[in-house]
Amino acid sequence: MALPTIILLLLVVLFFSSNATQPPRTLHIPVLHRDAAFPPAPGATSPISLRLHAADATHYTVQLASSLHSTTITDDQQLRSPVVSGLPFDSGEYFATVGVGDPPTRALVVIDTGSDLIWLQCAPCRRCYRQLTPLYDPRRSSTTTHRRIPCSSPRCRGVLRYPGCDARTGGCVYTVVYGDGSSSTGDLATDRLVVFPDDDGIAHHNVTLGCGHDNGGLFESAAGLLGVGRGKLSFPTQVADTYGRVFSYCLGDRMSRNTSTSYLVFGRAPEPPSMAFTPLRTNPRRPSLYYVDMVGFSVGGERVAGLASDSSLALDAATGRGGVVVDSGTAISRFAVDAYAAVRDAFDARAAAGGMRKVDDNFSVFDACYDVYGYGGGHPKVRVPSIVLHFAGGADMALPPANYLVPVVGGDRRTHFCLGFQAADDGLNVLGNVQQQGFGVVFDVERGRIGFAPNGCSA
C-alpha cells in the first residue's frame, strides 16, 4: 500500500486444498467477492448495469442497459461495470483469509504487493480500528507458536527499517507507516500462519509477523495486512524455500459477484499463451517494490505523442525517480504529470468525436469526466476510445473499458464516467488494481520479469 488514493472495498478470500504437513509446490487460491462476506445493506442503491462491447480494434461502443436497476451477473463473459451510489472507491483493497496462532484465529488481511511486513491487530489494543473478524489475542495461543523476537535478533535490527525495543520485556518493536497515513505499531514475533480450505489448513510455522497494539488509518474492516513485496519479511520471501520466488494473481471484476475464477497463486503456475513479459526492475531506494519500465500509451489505436519526457516512465536507478510500480494495494493508477496530461488530452479529443460529452465539474480526483445521458431521452450509444499501456520488452496491456472508465454519481444523481487515472507529482508512478483487474499478473523474481495476460481469471 504505497500511495494515498480513493478506493473501493473488495474481498479476496484464500483457500488451499492440500495436506497440512506437506504443502504443495504450487498453492492455488480462488477469490470471492466482498459481498460473499459483507452483503449489501438492506435498501442500498442497486448498481446500474452497463454493457461494454468491442466495436472495432480502436474503439468500444457503450450501450446503456434498459433497466437501471439490473444486478444480474450472467456467465456470458460480457463485461459489466455496475455503478453504486455515492463516491466510488471508498476502499479498494483485496483481502485474504488466514489463521494465526494455535488454535488459529481467522483474520481478513489486505494483500499488498507494495509492502513487506505481515501484521494484524492484537489484543490488548491501545488503539484499534473496527475489524470484521475476531481480534487475535496471542495470550490465548500456544506458547510454542507465538514467540516475541528479542531486540538483539538480526530479524529486528537487520531487517526492520525503524526497529524499536521494549525496555521492559526486551522484545523487538516495529512501526510501519504507509503513504496514505495509515500505520501500525506493535511487537515483532514469530507465529503459526494457516490458510484454510475448510476446517483444515496448510500451516507455515515460525512466520515473522507484527502483532499490532496501536493501529489506525484506512484499514477499516481488515484485521491487518499480508505483505507480498520483495523484502525479507514478505510472505513470498518467507516461503520461498517451498514455493520459489514467484507468485501470480488475477484480481477479478471489482464490482461483480461472479469472481469464483479469480485467484492468488504462490509457486510457478502454467502461463497462458497470451502472457507477455516485461523486465522487472529494482530501485535501490525502494528495493521492496516491483518496478517496470513503461515506454508509452496508445489511445484510439494511435501512439500518444507530446510527452515532455518519456523518461518519467522509465526507472532511473541512480536517482530512484521514474519507473512504474505494480501495486495491488493502490486502486487508481498514477502517472507523471506530463504523461497523464498527454493521455488525458488524447482521450478527451477522441471521446468528443465519439459522442462523449465532457462535463465541467470534477469528481474527487478525476478531472476528465463525461456524460453519456440526455441525448433525446433514449439510451445512447457512444464510442469509447481504447487505451493500451506499452511496457519495455514489447509487453502491452490493452485495457477493457471498465478498467479505465470509472462510474461516479454526481450531486444531481446523474451518473458520469471519468477517465480513471491520476497525475502523480511525487515522481512515483503506479499501476493500480483497477487497471489490473481481469489480467493474470505474474511476479517472477527468479527470472527477473513481470507478466500480464488478458482474460487471466478465465485462464
Side-chain angles (χ1 to χ4, degrees):
M1 182 174 289
L3 301 170
T5 181
I6 55 171
I7 46 184
L8 163 76
L9 177 63
L10 293 174
L11 171 68
V12 176
V13 182
L14 304 187
F15 292 95
F16 293 61
S17 296
S18 181
N19 186 290
T21 60
Q22 296 293 330
R25 294 296 298 177
T26 300
L27 298 180
H28 186 281
I29 308 161
V31 176
L32 301 179
H33 188 269
R34 63 184 176 92
D35 286 345
F38 316 131
T45 303
S46 298
I48 296 175
S49 179
L50 179 69
R51 292 188 177 93
L52 305 180
H53 300 280
D56 54 43
T58 60
H59 292 80
Y60 298 96
T61 297
V62 179
Q63 173 69 57
L64 290 177
S66 58
S67 170
L68 297 185
H69 300 287
S70 173
T71 59
T72 301
I73 304 297
T74 66
D75 294 325
D76 58 5
Q77 301 305 311
Q78 287 182 322
L79 180 59
R80 295 170 180 248
S81 181
V83 178
V84 296
S85 61
L87 290 175
F89 304 128
D90 286 337
S91 181
E93 295 91 349
Y94 287 77
F95 290 78
T97 297
V98 299
V100 180
D102 184 18
T105 298
R106 293 183 184 241
L108 287 173
V109 290
V110 174
I111 298 174
D112 186 20
T113 62
S115 64
D116 295 327
L117 184 67
I118 307 163
W119 66 266
L120 66 158
Q121 297 195 118
C122 289
C125 265
R126 291 186 293 271
R127 181 175 66 117
C128 282
Y129 54 84
R130 183 182 67 91
Q131 66 180 57
L132 297 179
T133 49
L135 190 68
Y136 177 52
D137 188 345
R139 297 168 298 186
R140 298 180 181 177
S141 183
S142 168
T143 56
T144 62
T145 62
H146 185 88
R147 295 176 179 175
R148 291 194 61 181
I149 294 175
C151 301
S152 58
S153 170
R155 280 180 290 183
C156 181
R157 297 296 182 183
V159 177
L160 286 179
R161 186 175 182 182
Y162 303 110
C165 188
D166 187 328
R168 181 178 59 85
T169 65
C172 183
V173 176
Y174 76 91
T175 296
V176 288
V177 180
Y178 301 94
D180 60 8
S182 302
S183 64
S184 176
T185 298
D187 304 320
L188 195 67
T190 58
D191 214 326
R192 179 173 175 260
L193 191 67
V194 184
V195 183
F196 304 100
D198 292 302
D199 294 329
D200 300 323
I202 296 173
H204 295 277
H205 298 274
N206 299 317
V207 174
T208 301
L209 50 79
C211 199
H213 303 294
D214 191 338
N215 319 287
L218 302 180
F219 294 110
E220 182 73 15
S221 302
L225 187 142
L226 182 70
V228 291
R230 300 172 67 180
K232 294 181 179 179
L233 293 178
S234 75
F235 185 71
T237 301
Q238 293 196 57
V239 298
D241 287 346
T242 302
Y243 307 115
R245 296 294 302 276
V246 57
F247 71 95
S248 57
Y249 59 57
C250 184
L251 307 177
D253 185 340
R254 64 191 187 277
M255 296 297 292
S256 173
R257 294 174 184 156
N258 183 26
T259 56
S260 60
T261 56
S262 301
Y263 58 83
L264 171 65
V265 173
F266 291 97
R268 190 169 301 281
E271 298 162 2
S274 60
M275 182 72 70
F277 287 95
T278 187
L280 172 63
R281 300 293 308 279
T282 299
N283 186 346
R285 296 174 182 264
R286 291 174 169 141
S288 291
L289 301 181
Y290 298 95
Y291 273 88
V292 294
D293 289 334
M294 281 189 65
V295 295
F297 304 82
S298 290
V299 175
E302 297 181 7
R303 197 67 171 247
V304 174
L307 294 180
S309 174
D310 285 339
S311 63
S312 63
L313 299 175
L315 177 64
D316 184 340
T319 64
R321 303 281 294 184
V324 177
V325 176
V326 183
D327 187 12
S328 66
T330 296
I332 301 298
S333 294
R334 315 168 71 242
F335 299 110
V337 174
D338 63 308
Y340 168 74
V343 173
R344 178 199 59 201
D345 294 346
F347 184 86
D348 191 52
R350 289 165 176 78
M356 299 175 66
R357 184 177 65 86
K358 192 171 184 179
V359 297
D360 295 331
D361 295 334
N362 294 337
F363 295 89
S364 188
V365 300
F366 303 121
D367 63 359
C369 299
Y370 305 89
D371 187 4
V372 296
Y373 294 90
Y375 300 91
H379 299 293
K381 289 184 177 181
V382 296
R383 291 173 62 83
V384 179
S386 60
I387 294 182
V388 180
L389 311 182
H390 302 291
F391 296 92
D396 293 337
M397 289 183 71
L399 301 179
N403 288 34
Y404 58 88
L405 280 184
V406 177
V408 298
V409 178
D412 58 358
R413 301 185 65 81
R414 292 168 64 89
T415 300
H416 305 283
F417 296 89
C418 300
L419 181 63
F421 301 137
Q422 294 176 254
D425 56 7
D426 58 1
L428 185 61
N429 305 301
V430 178
L431 181 66
N433 63 43
V434 170
Q435 280 66 53
Q436 295 178 54
Q437 64 181 342
F439 282 85
V441 184
V442 175
F443 297 82
D444 191 348
V445 177
E446 290 178 357
R447 298 179 181 176
R449 60 185 188 169
I450 289 183
F452 304 102
N455 302 313
C457 294
S458 58

